[in-house]
C-alpha cells in the first residue's frame, strides 16, 4: 500500500493550535512579570522564548510565528520600553536583542514545523503499515478460502471417479467439474501473477491510437458468456462516432471486461447492467459500467480498489475470486493517464464504476 502524505489539519485543529500558542505566550508573560523584580530589563525575551517552543511543538510554523510576533511585542512594550515609547527600544543593545529574538523565534518555528510534519508523517506511516498488515492477513485468509473450495470440489470428483469409474454420466459430470475448478484456480493464479507485475510497475503497455468503442466491443465479447449465464439485461450507449484514445488495446480490454464481469457477478440473475460512453467537458472520455446489484456502503468504496478487498456479499458469491480485479484495473488506468472511481447509493441499490481516459490529440 503506498504511503500517502499526511492530511492537512482541519480549521478546528488550526484554531486549537493558535489558542495553545496564545495560552503559552500569556503563561510566559505571567511568569516573566512575576520575575520582573529579579530580572528587570535583563533578558526581556528569555522566558517568552519558551512560549515559542511550545507553539512550535504543538502547532508548527504558523503558531510559532504568531507566538514570536506576540512575544516580541509584549516583551518590547513591558520589559524594554516600559510603556515610555520608542526611545529605549531604539537603543542598539535593545534593538539587537529584539532582532536576535525574532531570528531565534523564526528558526524555532521552522524546526518545529518540520518536526511536526515528520511526526504526523510517521504516525500516518505507522497507520498505513498496520492497515497493510491487516490486509495481508485478510489476503492469506481469502486465498486459503478461495483455494479450499476448488480443492474440495476436485476431491469430490476424484472420489466419484474412484468409486464409479465405469459410470459414463458420472465420469462426464466429474470431468466437467474438474475443468471448471481448474479454470477457477488458473484464473486466480493469473490474477496473482498479474497483480504482482502491476503493483511493481513491471507490465508492458504499448500505447497506440485506438478506438475505444472497438475496445468495449471486445470486452463485451469476453463478458457475454457470464452475462448470458445469469440472464442479465444489458443496455449499451456507445454512440456512433469513433472515440480515439492513446493506449494499449489489450490492457484496456482487460480493464472493461473486468468491470463488466464484476457487475455481472454481483448482480442477481435477471438484473440490469449498463455500459455507457460519453465525452466530458474537460475533453476526456468517460466509460461507466453500472448495475442494480448488491451495491456498496459509501465508506467502503475507496477500499474496493485495494488488493484482496471484495464487495459485501462476495464471500457467498458463486463466482468467487480474490478481490484483485479492481486493484489491477486502477493500476492499468493510471498508467494510461486516467482515473477510476466508484459510486453507490448503498447496499442493495446497485453501483457504478467510471473510468476517465484522456482523448488522443488530433495529430496522434
Amino acid at each position: 500500500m503506498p504511503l500517502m502524505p499526511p492530511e492537512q489539519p482541519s480549521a478546528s485543529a488550526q484554531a486549537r493550535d493558535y489558542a495553545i500558542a496564545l495560552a503559552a505566550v500569556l503563561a510566559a508573560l505571567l511568569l516573566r512579570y512575576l520575575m520582573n523584580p529579579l530580572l528587570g530589563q535583563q533578558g526581556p525575551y528569555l522566558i517568552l522564548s519558551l512560549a515559542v517552543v511550545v507553539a512550535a511543538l504543538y502547532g508548527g510554523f504558523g503558531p510559532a510565528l504568531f507566538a514570536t510576533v506576540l512575544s516580541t511585542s509584549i516583551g518590547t512594550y513591558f520589559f524594554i520600553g516600559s510603556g515610555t515609547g520608542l526611545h529605549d527600544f531604539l537603543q542598539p543593545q535593545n534593538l539587537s536583542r529584539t532582532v536576535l529574538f525574532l531570528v531565534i523565534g523564526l528558526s524555532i518555528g521552522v524546526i518545529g514545523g518540520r518536526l511536526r510534519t515528520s511526526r504526523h508523517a510517521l504516525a500516518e506511516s505507522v497507520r498505513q503499515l498496520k492497515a497493510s498488515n491487516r490486509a495481508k492477513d485478510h489476503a492469506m485468509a481469502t486465498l486459503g478460502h478461495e483455494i479450499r473450495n476448488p480443492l474440495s470440489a476436485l476431491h469430490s470428483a476424484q472420489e466419484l471417479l474412484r468409486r464409479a469409474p465405469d459410470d459414463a454420466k458420472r465420469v462426464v459430470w466429474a470431468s466437467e467439474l474438474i475443468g471448471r475448478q481448474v479454470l477457477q484456480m488458473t484464473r486466480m493464479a493469473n490474477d496473482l501473477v498479474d497483480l504482482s507485475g502491476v503493483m511493481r510497475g513491471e507490465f508492458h503497455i504499448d500505447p497506440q491510437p485506438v478506438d475505444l468503442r472497438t475496445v468495449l466491443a471486445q470486452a463485451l465479447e469476453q463478458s457475454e458468456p457470464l452475462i448470458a449465464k445469469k440472464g442479465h439485461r444489458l443496455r449499451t450507449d456507445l454512440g456512433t462516432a469513433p472515440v480515439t484514445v492513446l493506449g494499449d488495446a489489450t490492457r484496456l480490454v482487460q480493464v472493461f471486461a473486468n468491470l463488466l464481469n464484476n457487475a455481472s457477478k454481483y448482480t442477481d440473475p435477471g438484473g440490469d447492467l449498463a455500459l455507457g460512453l460519453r465525452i466530458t467537458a474537460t475533453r476526456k472520455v468517460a466509460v461507466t459500467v453500472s448495475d442494480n446489484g448488491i451495491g456498496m456502503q459509501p465508506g467502503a468504496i475507496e477500499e474496493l480498489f485495494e488488493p484482496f478487498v471484495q464487495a459485501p456479499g462476495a464471500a457467498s458469491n458463486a463466482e468467487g475470486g480474490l478481490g484483485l480485479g479492481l486493484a489491477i484495473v486502477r493500476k492499468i488506468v493510471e498508467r494510461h493517464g486516467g482515473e477510476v472511481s466508484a459510486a453507490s447509493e448503498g447496499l442493495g441499490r446497485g453501483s457504478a464504476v467510471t473510468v476517465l481516459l484522456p482523448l488522443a490529440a488530433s495529430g496522434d
Side-chain angles (χ1 to χ4, degrees):
M1 180 181 297
L3 293 179
M4 301 297 292
E7 294 183 359
Q8 294 297 320
S10 63
S12 60
Q14 290 181 336
R16 179 202 62 202
D17 293 339
Y18 280 93
I20 290 175
L22 177 60
V25 171
L26 294 177
L29 172 62
L30 177 61
L31 181 59
R32 178 62 178 82
Y33 180 77
L34 294 175
M35 297 182 65
N36 194 54
L38 178 63
L39 296 177
Q41 289 189 343
Q42 300 300 315
Y45 304 113
L46 181 61
I47 296 177
L48 290 171
S49 63
L50 296 177
V52 179
V53 173
V54 171
L57 289 177
Y58 281 92
F61 179 75
L65 179 61
F66 169 72
T68 299
V69 173
L70 187 59
S71 296
T72 302
S73 303
I74 291 174
T76 300
Y77 183 80
F78 286 104
F79 307 121
I80 291 182
S82 300
T84 60
L86 295 176
H87 180 268
D88 290 338
F89 171 70
L90 293 177
Q91 292 182 6
Q93 180 181 7
N94 291 331
L95 189 61
S96 63
R97 287 177 179 176
T98 303
V99 172
L100 181 60
F101 178 72
L102 285 171
V103 172
I104 292 175
L106 290 174
S107 301
I108 292 174
V110 170
I111 295 172
R114 291 182 177 179
L115 286 174
R116 188 171 186 265
T117 300
S118 299
R119 187 168 66 247
H120 286 186
L122 179 60
E124 179 66 13
S125 299
V126 170
R127 186 193 68 79
Q128 294 194 11
L129 285 173
K130 289 180 178 179
S132 178
N133 191 55
R134 288 194 300 270
K136 180 191 68 176
D137 294 340
H138 175 71
M140 297 303 296
T142 301
L143 184 60
H145 174 77
E146 294 295 339
I147 290 179
R148 182 179 60 188
N149 289 342
L151 289 178
S152 177
L154 290 173
H155 178 70
S156 299
Q158 184 266 336
E159 281 294 311
L160 186 146
L161 291 174
R162 184 179 64 83
R163 294 179 182 179
D166 299 326
D167 189 329
K169 290 185 178 180
R170 292 189 176 185
V171 169
V172 171
W173 179 87
S175 298
E176 292 176 350
L177 175 63
I178 291 172
R180 289 194 302 271
Q181 300 308 318
V182 169
L183 182 62
Q184 173 73 355
M185 295 183 71
T186 301
R187 185 163 59 244
M188 288 190 289
N190 289 339
D191 280 350
L192 285 170
V193 173
D194 211 5
L195 178 71
S196 177
V198 166
M199 296 302 288
R200 296 196 307 269
E202 298 177 358
F203 66 102
H204 178 66
I205 282 184
D206 182 22
Q208 298 289 337
V210 58
D211 183 0
L212 198 57
R213 295 173 69 251
T214 302
V215 167
L216 294 175
Q218 295 176 9
L220 284 168
E221 287 180 1
Q222 291 190 14
S223 304
E224 195 277 333
L226 179 58
I227 294 173
K229 175 184 173 182
K230 301 191 72 172
H232 291 142
R233 295 178 294 272
L234 175 64
R235 185 180 72 256
T236 61
D237 181 12
L238 306 181
T240 56
V243 178
T244 305
V245 298
L246 193 63
D248 188 313
T250 301
R251 286 293 186 178
L252 290 175
V253 169
Q254 179 183 2
V255 164
F256 295 112
N258 197 307
L259 295 181
L260 287 165
N261 286 338
N262 264 9
S264 184
K265 283 167 59 176
Y266 300 124
T267 301
D268 291 336
D272 295 316
L273 309 180
L275 174 65
L277 181 152
R278 60 184 175 85
I279 306 299
T280 70
T282 57
R283 299 298 298 166
K284 291 185 177 182
V285 55
V287 179
T288 300
V289 178
S290 58
D291 60 71
N292 63 347
I294 64 175
M296 296 173 284
Q297 292 180 341
I301 289 177
E302 183 58 32
E303 293 181 357
L304 206 61
F305 293 97
E306 298 296 334
F308 300 103
V309 175
Q310 295 180 328
S316 61
N317 189 279
E319 303 299 330
L322 295 176
L324 302 179
L326 290 181
I328 295 173
V329 163
R330 181 168 66 175
K331 289 296 182 180
I332 294 176
V333 170
E334 288 176 349
R335 279 288 294 273
H336 282 80
E339 56 188 274
V340 59
S341 60
S344 176
E345 295 183 0
L347 292 177
R349 305 187 66 179
S351 58
V353 179
T354 299
V355 174
L356 278 176
L357 293 171
L359 285 168
S362 57
D364 290 335

